[in-house]
Amino acid sequence: MIDLSTVIAGVSFPVGLMNASGALCVTQDELEALGKADAGAIVTKSMTPLAREGNPHPRYVAIDGGSINSMGLPNLGYPAYAKLIPELKCFRKPVIASLAGLHPDDFLEGAKALHVAGPDLVEVNLSCPNIPGKPQIGYDFEETEHLLRALRDIFSIPFGVKLPPYFDPIHHQKIADVLERIGVAFVTVINSVGNTLVVDPEKEQVVIKPKGGFGGLGGRIIKPVALANVRAFWKIWGDQIPIIGTGGVENGIDIFEHVLCGASAVQVGTILVEEGVGVFTRLARELTECLERKGYPSLMACRGKLQEME
Ligand code: OXC
């Protein structure tokens, strides 16, 4: 039997496969469905101090090769998730709380609420591209360091960050330096590719309503961007800081590619929304078949093994 388990920041996952924050993880029902499914963890929607309806509809559209979204952080608010998290522990798999905010102070308030709720890990979302007028914090290295320093003073739970995609090696190095100074427990890369635009040529119109049609791109078309970011951080850190790969995973071979690049686990977004929680069963089966065919006894045995050309 192939071992698909993984360990991140001292937390054991039965399978290194879970939902990306945002995908089918807002409500109690959705979170419980993830608990019952073959997902290796339950990741909550990114939470803010107060419950939010999010942006106006239509705000998610499946497109050829992926999806575009501008959800605008619809969520139940810190107090509701703080109450739910202890209940989700009954599924006996790690619970990861995704923390967001509209102002730096929000994150600190959320950190205090989560401290009591006790998730296994916290993923600090530094990269939501869809709040009108609010930049993605992860593109501002000074602001990121400032915020994470303040959070570090509050958290006793291990915390990591969800980053936006970076497109230049200098930026990978600069953010990696910040994260090393802070001592984050893990990184999740990548969030959706922010502020992209999909056009309907028949209607001569954008396809989502918020922000004039600009939104985050996800799904198969962003896989090369995601793999590049996983690989870039693996080349900087090796196994020093675990990486959760996110972006473009549709089948078992996609997971294998993420892990070859250096990921310790993989998250799924668009394909989960399109297929529902049964996707985890299919992905685990396909991943097992792929590792068997390749002769790897476990998922972790192929981590970082991507070869470069002489
Ligand atoms: N990334 C996020 O971090 N949040 C959601 N969309 C996205 O692509 C959202 O809620 O808009």
Side-chain angles (χ1 to χ4, degrees), residues 115-143:
H115 186 71
V116 178
D120 296 279
L121 296 169
V122 178
E123 184 182 86
V124 180
N125 186 349
L126 300 178
S127 48
C128 178
N130 299 329
I131 304 300
K134 301 281 176 198
Q136 292 166 86
I137 303 166
Y139 284 135
D140 182 333
F141 304 121
E142 260 177 48
E143 175 68 20

Side-chain angles (χ1 to χ4, degrees), residues 12-32:
S12 298
F13 293 67
V15 181
L17 184 58
M18 67 199 88
N19 66 295
S21 174
L24 302 188
C25 60
V26 175
T27 64
Q28 179 167 2
D29 284 353
E30 287 174 339
L31 292 164
E32 287 178 356

Side-chain angles (χ1 to χ4, degrees), residues 52 55-59 68-73 127-136 192-198 206-216:
R52 285 172 59 84
N55 290 339
H57 295 258
R59 58 191 188 181
I68 183 167
N69 90 85
S70 182
M71 305 301 286
L73 296 177
S127 48
C128 178
N130 299 329
I131 304 300
K134 301 281 176 198
Q136 292 166 86
S192 59
V193 177
N195 297 297
T196 62
L197 191 66
V198 173
V206 296
V207 301
I208 55 172
K209 184 165 178 183
K211 287 183 69 178
F214 288 78

